[in-house]
Amino acid sequence: MRLRTVVISFGFILSIAAESFAASPAPVKGEHGMVVTAQRLASEIGVEVLKKGGNSIDAAVAVGYALAVVYPSAGNIGGGGFMTIRFKDGKSTFLDFRERAPLAATKDMYLDKDGNPIKGASLDGYLAVGVPGSVAGFEMAREKYGTLTRQQVLEPAIRLAKDGFVLGQGDATILAGGAKRLAADKAAAAIFIKADGKPYGAGDRLVQADLAASLARISEKGPDAFYKGAIADQIVKASAAKGGILAKPDFEQYKVRELAPVTCNYRGFDIVSSPPPSSGGLIICEILNVLEGYPISHLGFGSADTVHLMVEAMRFAYVDRNSALGDPAFVENPVGKITDKTYAAEIRDKIDRYRAGVSKDLKPKDFGESKETTHYSIIDDAGNAVAVTYTLNGSFGAGVVADGTGILLNNEMDDFTQKPGVPNLYGLVQGEANAIAPLKTPLSSMSPTIVSKDGKPFMVIGSPGGSRIITITLEAIINVIDHGMDIREAIDAPRIHHQWLPDTVYVENHGLSPDTLKMLSQMGYKLDIAAEGKVWGQAAGILVGGESLGEIGKGGGARYNGAIDSRALAGEAIGY
Ligand code: DON
């Protein structure tokens, strides 16, 4: 029995020995490496690469290509994402291979003649597609930091696409979820829908011959095959024929950015996470800085007090996210201010300890940013840690495949502000800093994060979930550091979310007790309890040195402890 001591203070101190959160199975253990992804075959490929002597960057690239085959709702070469790397020597870096707006993009391209958003224009079809970055990102990671050849990291993905793979129940459920949209595009339907009009089911073999050919071209010729050769030509041709604006120079000019990650310190733990064009790292740091001033561990997991303070910190951080952040090549991001502990103290001064704040009173400042995205976490024997979050944005992206490529394309353009004040797919109400412009990257929430302690890797974490990625990742960190949960419990624990607007606290079903909900509502909160079965996020995490801080404190446990979210349909943590 794993014991936990909860200390509650009511003027006197009460110690309770409580059994751990019973619903979560123990984390997966490994001594030499750990790979946690949203699809079991991709996890197996990552571990094979590590066993063969590849490092965690090689494994991350092989997994990235493999997920494009076995997890088509989010894994991709037609989208983009971020990779946070912490090397064994303690240095870290960040690769931004997110999509860019095409050269022909304009600020009001999704508005009608009256200035109102055109329904679906930024979500469906070729007009929604940003210039993809995944292939360039994977190749840069491999060339600069990997040890294996391009052919070696691409081989498993090509094999899976060419020979096909047998769908498990989780894979089939995900495909069925996208069937209606995929059926509407002839090339996508030819891949994902059977001759009888039904989606492929559990036990069926999914073969993707065109995707295998595209991957083989990349393997042979490198990223030029995608950006300068036949693949770009095919995508541009389909785009032109179907109302898109993608042009060959968009592909030819695509460049990965290597950026310094955002860093901050929370209760002695060093956080390394995504910088703009993601809002993730900054907003996680801003919320953590605010919470550091409160005794969260004593207030307890899921208490009205803790939820109140978390929500207020989220409210202040998300107004900054939605008004001030954008692509660093286009806007000045107040990085120093947002990560400043004095700024966090100023926010704490504005938080009423007993009452809910009101979002509409919090004006945007002028400082003088599931299965539809996917996150994976990897660590190797040497201690190199990699966190990758990449995406097509919505599930199966724009729902289109250019003829002959087998490549599903993203709908990342929806992450831009289409019109200030109008919510996007994730309900985010954003401002001018994230307005559309040619070559600009839309603001993201993706937060591949690595935490270290005393110069050693401690936690690798991240998740899909749109605007909720930030709070999902944050809560996993707090659950481990403040609430003493093991990595699996920390990921499985019920979630809450607030994003400034709408001024609502979102709570997973059964996430808070009825009396906690009552107390929060008496404080002035509007609560939205998710319907039965509705959950969000699919975190993938690794803890180093033990499965929890408690175990580490007692001398440690397994070296690597991996956990995939119980909400994930097809994922697996595999250690060796
Ligand atoms: O970059 C972003 O913030 C979004 N495009 C992520 C989308 C996402 O997580 C969808 N998954 N549930």
Side-chain angles (χ1 to χ4, degrees):
M1 185 168 82
R2 286 173 286 162
L3 288 178
R4 169 170 300 98
T5 302
V6 182
V7 183
I8 308 171
S9 172
F10 294 111
F12 60 94
I13 296 200
L14 175 69
S15 261
I16 307 168
E19 198 151 358
S20 56
F21 295 80
S24 285
V28 170
K29 318 281 176 181
E31 288 305 318
H32 302 286
M34 181 66 65
V35 180
V36 190
T37 86
Q39 213 282 350
R40 69 196 187 287
L41 298 168
S43 298
E44 280 171 16
I45 284 165
V47 168
E48 283 315 309
V49 168
L50 294 182
K51 282 186 178 165
K52 234 178 15 208
N55 65 15
S56 55
I57 294 99
D58 295 312
V61 172
V63 165
Y65 283 123
L67 285 169
V69 179
V70 297
Y71 197 71
S73 61
N76 70 79
I77 55 171
F82 301 134
M83 181 182 292
T84 306
I85 309 174
R86 186 186 187 279
F87 301 99
K88 59 182 178 193
D89 65 2
K91 292 201 181 85
S92 54
T93 193
F94 180 84
L95 300 182
D96 162 22
F97 52 95
R98 185 160 163 82
E99 298 86 337
R100 317 262 182 260
L103 284 158
T106 56
K107 191 171 164 180
D108 52 6
M109 63 189 277
Y110 299 116
L111 304 182
D112 64 17
K113 61 177 178 10
D114 301 320
N116 297 318
I118 304 164
K119 203 166 181 294
S122 63
L123 288 170
D124 301 316
Y126 283 87
L127 200 58
V129 180
V131 183
S134 294
V135 171
F138 292 149
E139 276 308 288
M140 178 162 170
R142 186 198 61 79
E143 260 188 344
K144 221 169 158 183
Y145 302 117
T147 62
L148 301 182
T149 64
R150 189 168 61 236
Q151 288 72 21
Q152 283 173 307
V153 293
L154 268 148
E155 185 279 325
I158 297 171
R159 182 170 29 86
L160 281 168
K162 191 159 164 257
D163 301 345
F165 66 101
V166 177
L167 300 170
Q169 186 54 57
D171 307 316
T173 304
I174 294 167
L175 278 184
K180 211 169 143 210
R181 287 183 79 220
L182 295 168
D185 181 76
K186 217 170 137 220
I191 303 164
F192 298 107
I193 308 290
K194 290 199 278 196
D196 64 4
K198 296 208 179 85
Y200 285 89
D204 287 341
R205 178 175 288 272
L206 180 67
V207 176
Q208 300 174 73
D210 285 346
L211 181 57
S214 291
L215 290 166
R217 275 196 205 118
I218 296 166
S219 172
E220 197 188 319
K221 299 214 165 70
D224 280 0
F226 188 92
Y227 292 94
K228 297 190 175 147
I231 298 175
D233 288 336
Q234 284 162 306
I235 297 174
V236 168
K237 189 169 156 215
S239 169
K242 294 176 185 168
I245 54 169
L246 292 167
K248 196 71 183 290
D250 290 321
F251 285 82
E252 287 162 351
Q253 288 181 24
Y254 186 88
K255 274 199 180 55
V256 181
R257 284 184 284 199
E258 182 159 21
L259 303 168
V262 160
T263 57
C264 59
N265 184 282
Y266 180 64
R267 304 192 201 278
F269 291 83
D270 292 305
I271 317 275
V272 172
S273 190
S274 50
S278 180
S279 59
L282 283 177
I283 300 308
I284 287 173
C285 284
E286 183 174 349
I287 298 171
L288 288 174
N289 283 343
V290 173
L291 294 178
E292 200 176 39
Y294 301 112
I296 295 298
S297 108
H298 285 261
L299 297 174
F301 175 82
S303 68
D305 251 344
T306 295
V307 173
H308 167 57
L309 295 170
M310 286 172 69
V311 167
E312 293 310 314
M314 289 172 189
R315 185 196 309 280
F316 276 92
Y318 270 84
V319 71
D320 291 347
R321 180 205 182 282
N322 296 356
S323 57
L325 304 186
D327 183 337
F330 289 76
V331 296
E332 194 77 47
N333 289 285
V335 174
K337 175 90 179 173
I338 285 187
T339 52
D340 182 6
K341 300 249 184 205
T342 318
Y343 178 53
E346 284 163 23
I347 293 176
R348 276 195 300 274
D349 285 345
K350 291 186 195 139
I351 295 176
D352 183 326
R353 284 295 271 111
Y354 305 101
R355 293 292 307 163
V358 178
S359 287
K360 70 174 167 37
D361 295 347
L362 256 193
K363 293 279 174 303
K365 272 181 227 60
D366 186 3
F367 285 93
E369 198 205 70
S370 318
K371 45 196 181 294
E372 296 138 342
T373 292
T374 191
H375 174 86
Y376 53 96
S377 295
I378 299 181
I379 194 158
D380 64 22
D381 202 18
N384 299 298
V386 180
V388 177
T389 315
Y390 79 142
T391 187
L392 291 167
N393 191 30
S395 194
F396 299 97
V400 291
V401 170
D403 280 328
T405 64
I407 300 170
L408 272 163
L409 295 164
N410 68 83
N411 58 359
E412 216 70 54
M413 293 292 284
D414 187 68
D415 277 352
F416 278 118
T417 309
Q418 287 154 52
K419 184 182 175 179
V422 172
N424 74 354
L425 180 62
Y426 304 107
L428 285 169
V429 178
Q430 310 181 95
E432 286 293 336
N434 189 29
I436 306 173
L439 295 178
K440 193 172 172 184
T441 291
L443 184 64
S444 172
S445 300
M446 293 189 288
S447 313
T449 299
I450 301 170
V451 183
S452 60
K453 179 89 174 76
D454 304 326
K456 296 197 193 95
F458 172 68
M459 184 174 180
V460 190
I461 188 74
S463 177
S467 57
R468 300 178 188 201
I469 290 173
I470 297 171
T471 52
I472 295 163
T473 307
L474 169 97
E475 285 164 30
I477 294 172
I478 291 175
N479 288 345
V480 166
I481 295 179
D482 291 298
H483 300 304
M485 294 185 200
D486 75 35
I487 183 69
R488 180 71 201 250
E489 294 166 341
I491 283 173
D492 285 353
R495 295 175 174 140
I496 58 146
H497 174 75
H498 192 284
Q499 58 183 41
W500 173 53
L501 290 177
D503 195 345
T504 301
V505 184
Y506 296 92
V507 182
E508 276 186 336
N509 200 265
H510 307 302
L512 296 172
S513 69
D515 41 8
T516 307
L517 293 171
K518 198 165 140 198
M519 286 168 87
L520 287 166
S521 128
Q522 283 164 353
M523 287 168 136
Y525 286 108
K526 181 170 170 244
L527 299 153
D528 181 304
I529 320 294
E532 189 70 47
K534 285 259 180 221
V535 291
W536 59 81
Q538 289 189 27
I542 299 171
L543 211 67
V544 181
E547 60 180 31
S548 65
L549 272 180
E551 193 180 53
I552 294 169
K554 282 188 219 135
R559 182 174 178 214
Y560 295 143
N561 301 265
I564 185 74
D565 209 311
S566 61
R567 299 161 184 85
L569 291 167
E572 197 165 342
I574 308 182
Y576 82 104

